[in-house]
Amino acid sequence: MHDLLKKFENKKAEIVFEWSDNESEAEGWVVINSLRGGAAGGGTRMRKGLDKREVESLAKTMEVKFTVSGPAIGGAKSGINFDPNDPRKNEVLQRWYKAVMPLLKNYYGTGGDMNVDEIHEVIPITETYGLWHPQEGIVNGHFHATEPEKIKKIGQLRQGVSKVLEDPHYTPNGPKKYTVADMITGYGVAEAVRHYYKIWGGQIKGKRAVIQGWGNVGAAAACFLAVEGVKVVGIIDRDGGIIREEGLSLDEVRDLFIARDGNKLVAKDMIPFEKINEKIWDINSEIFIPAAASRLVTQNQVERMVNAGLEVISCGANVPFADPEIFFGPIGVWADKRISVLPDFIANCGMARVFAYLMSKKAEVTDRAIFNDVSKTIEKALNKTFQENPEKTNIAQSSFKIALAQLV
């Protein structure tokens, strides 16, 4: 596995597009790791301090993810180094998408990612430049679709990704309406945990979970885990968090989901970040969902959670461990040797899989069909890993071995 990983990590990206905004300090990159299958896919993220290396590593992560989610294409990523809270954000995004439009027309498909919203930012902006859908480049480059096929696939994408959820099984109660894009990644992260206990053995009901990050991924994962009877005992977000050792009720978790300010946790009894960061890693819990930014989880934090009874990590964030390596460094390996680590390219493949499903000939654009398809895709990937390795340790490394064998 390590030889395959090294070979894949060291291979130079096929295309690197670099951009400097002439009206602000923003800079950005599209990294296309390869045009495997004639196209590449990966979302657009924005954060202050982002650099080309981060985008390169995420593009490689996407390529591995497509071995699970499909279609059989290359990995890519867009990254913009700019403060997403700056009032000029929308203008920066407009100039960015204008610059990358030739790629999006021909062989690159994108979507939302950290601090960039698929429904409210990516789709409306790219539409103004004549793009039918941000995945149009994949429809053209990979599927070589005829005009009627292209109309059908893009019609399914337009309808499915922005679809307002109606089935109460897939959305929290409340006045706000949520879309497939809002809930699907967190759903997949939670389903990975459910399938893990089903395949490797154990009862999910009554387990305790700690959630890192309260954006769409972490908050949705918490909701779906709570439905399965998991007790959410701790939440840590950028400004603070909550500890409830007896577990939050399903209604309390849903209320916290609905009460968010954008992607921020809002709660009456919020503990300041410094205090919660001291305490949360020692709470007794079996499930950990890292769903904030990449490379945040330290060796010390993992060791403390393992000592407190941790059984499984379901990676909601791409590359959650604070290792410099692109995929898997010493912290990830240490955790993988001691507990069950469900890797990001399986656990958080939900959105990538939705795109692949909606581009297929048999897609059914209903809440149940879309969510069931994501669940089955994750179950199939974990079953493959179980055939390779029925032990509860080294799950991530075994999963990488299966994926990389298809790419190297």
Side-chain angles (χ1 to χ4, degrees), residues 62 65 68-70 161 180-181 183-189 191 217 315-316 344-358 370-371 373-375 377-378:
M62 285 307 302
K65 191 175 287 186
V68 172
S69 71
V161 176
V180 168
M183 303 301 293
I184 199 74
T185 306
Y187 170 78
V189 171
E191 281 294 277
V217 180
C315 298
D344 49 19
F345 63 92
I346 295 177
N348 74 13
C349 78
M351 200 66 232
R353 179 57 204 168
V354 170
F355 287 141
Y357 175 69
L358 292 171
I370 293 167
F371 280 74
D373 175 76
V374 166
S375 179
T377 300
I378 291 167

Side-chain angles (χ1 to χ4, degrees), residues 167-279:
D167 190 324
H169 290 98
Y170 306 114
T171 180
N173 303 322
K176 194 180 169 196
K177 297 290 182 189
Y178 296 95
T179 64
V180 168
D182 290 328
M183 303 301 293
I184 199 74
T185 306
Y187 170 78
V189 171
E191 281 294 277
V193 177
R194 188 174 72 82
H195 290 308
Y196 160 76
Y197 281 114
K198 199 171 75 180
I199 296 164
W200 273 270
Q203 177 70 253
I204 188 170
K205 192 175 179 183
K207 299 287 185 192
R208 295 160 295 187
V210 166
I211 315 288
Q212 181 189 42
W214 202 243
N216 279 347
V217 180
C223 286
F224 289 113
L225 286 172
V227 168
E228 295 298 325
V230 172
K231 297 171 183 174
V232 176
V233 293
I235 301 164
I236 181 166
D237 199 33
R238 70 192 94 163
D239 296 332
I242 292 169
I243 291 172
R244 188 77 64 81
E245 297 199 38
E246 70 278 15
L248 294 158
S249 70
L250 173 58
D251 284 343
E252 286 174 313
V253 173
R254 283 176 168 161
D255 287 346
L256 288 169
F257 183 104
I258 291 160
R260 289 177 307 158
D261 174 13
N263 277 341
K264 280 190 198 172
L265 176 68
V266 175
K268 285 180 206 162
D269 51 352
M270 207 149 102
I271 303 163
F273 181 82
E274 290 72 20
K275 276 194 175 177
I276 195 146
N277 196 37
E278 280 172 23
K279 293 180 178 178

Side-chain angles (χ1 to χ4, degrees), residues 14-327:
E14 203 168 313
I15 297 167
V16 179
F17 173 95
E18 196 158 342
W19 172 78
S20 293
D21 188 19
N22 60 6
E23 293 184 40
S24 76
E25 64 277 21
E27 55 180 350
W29 300 267
V30 178
V31 176
I32 292 174
N33 190 59
S34 84
L35 284 172
R36 171 180 174 246
T44 304
R45 67 168 46 190
M46 180 187 280
R47 73 173 187 85
K48 199 172 179 180
L50 176 142
D51 61 15
K52 185 168 80 170
R53 178 173 165 78
E54 182 176 332
V55 187
E56 286 171 340
S57 67
L58 290 165
K60 287 188 183 291
T61 301
M62 285 307 302
E63 190 143 328
V64 175
K65 191 175 287 186
F66 287 127
T67 67
V68 172
S69 71
I73 59 171
K77 206 75 178 181
S78 290
I80 304 166
N81 175 16
F82 190 70
D83 181 358
N85 299 311
D86 190 298
R88 299 169 293 167
K89 177 190 181 185
N90 199 56
E91 297 157 35
V92 167
L93 283 173
Q94 284 174 9
R95 292 190 291 273
W96 165 261
Y97 284 118
K98 189 176 184 182
V100 300
M101 196 49 55
L103 283 67
L104 291 168
K105 269 282 182 193
N106 293 294
Y107 51 74
Y108 169 44
T110 196
D113 197 82
M114 186 192 294
N115 300 318
V116 178
D117 188 272
E118 171 95 17
I119 310 300
H120 302 108
E121 291 170 325
V122 185
I123 290 173
I125 294 170
T126 54
E127 269 185 354
T128 65
Y129 296 122
L131 202 70
W132 289 6
H133 190 274
Q135 297 285 303
E136 189 177 332
I138 296 171
V139 175
N140 290 329
H142 175 67
F143 290 101
H144 305 293
T146 63
E147 199 69 9
E149 285 172 342
K150 184 175 169 179
I151 290 164
K152 184 171 190 271
K153 288 180 191 299
I154 288 177
Q156 287 170 180
L157 282 162
R158 286 172 70 105
Q159 188 187 348
V161 176
S162 309
K163 186 180 184 309
V164 173
L165 295 167
E166 298 150 285
D167 190 324
H169 290 98
Y170 306 114
T171 180
N173 303 322
K176 194 180 169 196
K177 297 290 182 189
Y178 296 95
T179 64
V180 168
D182 290 328
M183 303 301 293
I184 199 74
T185 306
Y187 170 78
V189 171
E191 281 294 277
V193 177
R194 188 174 72 82
H195 290 308
Y196 160 76
Y197 281 114
K198 199 171 75 180
I199 296 164
W200 273 270
Q203 177 70 253
I204 188 170
K205 192 175 179 183
K207 299 287 185 192
R208 295 160 295 187
V210 166
I211 315 288
Q212 181 189 42
W214 202 243
N216 279 347
V217 180
C223 286
F224 289 113
L225 286 172
V227 168
E228 295 298 325
V230 172
K231 297 171 183 174
V232 176
V233 293
I235 301 164
I236 181 166
D237 199 33
R238 70 192 94 163
D239 296 332
I242 292 169
I243 291 172
R244 188 77 64 81
E245 297 199 38
E246 70 278 15
L248 294 158
S249 70
L250 173 58
D251 284 343
E252 286 174 313
V253 173
R254 283 176 168 161
D255 287 346
L256 288 169
F257 183 104
I258 291 160
R260 289 177 307 158
D261 174 13
N263 277 341
K264 280 190 198 172
L265 176 68
V266 175
K268 285 180 206 162
D269 51 352
M270 207 149 102
I271 303 163
F273 181 82
E274 290 72 20
K275 276 194 175 177
I276 195 146
N277 196 37
E278 280 172 23
K279 293 180 178 178
I280 199 162
W281 314 110
D282 301 310
I283 300 175
N284 293 334
S285 66
E286 292 80 28
I287 299 163
F288 175 52
I289 308 292
S294 303
R295 306 183 192 282
L296 287 183
V297 183
T298 66
Q299 179 75 36
N300 174 265
Q301 289 163 355
V302 175
E303 285 180 17
R304 286 161 67 185
M305 285 189 284
V306 169
N307 290 338
L310 191 65
E311 295 176 354
V312 59
I313 297 175
S314 184
C315 298
N318 286 318
V319 200
F321 301 108
D323 287 317
E325 286 77 6
I326 287 176
F327 290 114

Side-chain angles (χ1 to χ4, degrees), residues 328 336 341-343 345 385 393-401:
F328 219 54
D336 198 39
V341 178
L342 312 181
F345 63 92
T385 302
T393 53
N394 296 312
I395 289 173
Q397 289 175 83
S398 302
S399 302
F400 269 117
K401 188 177 163 190

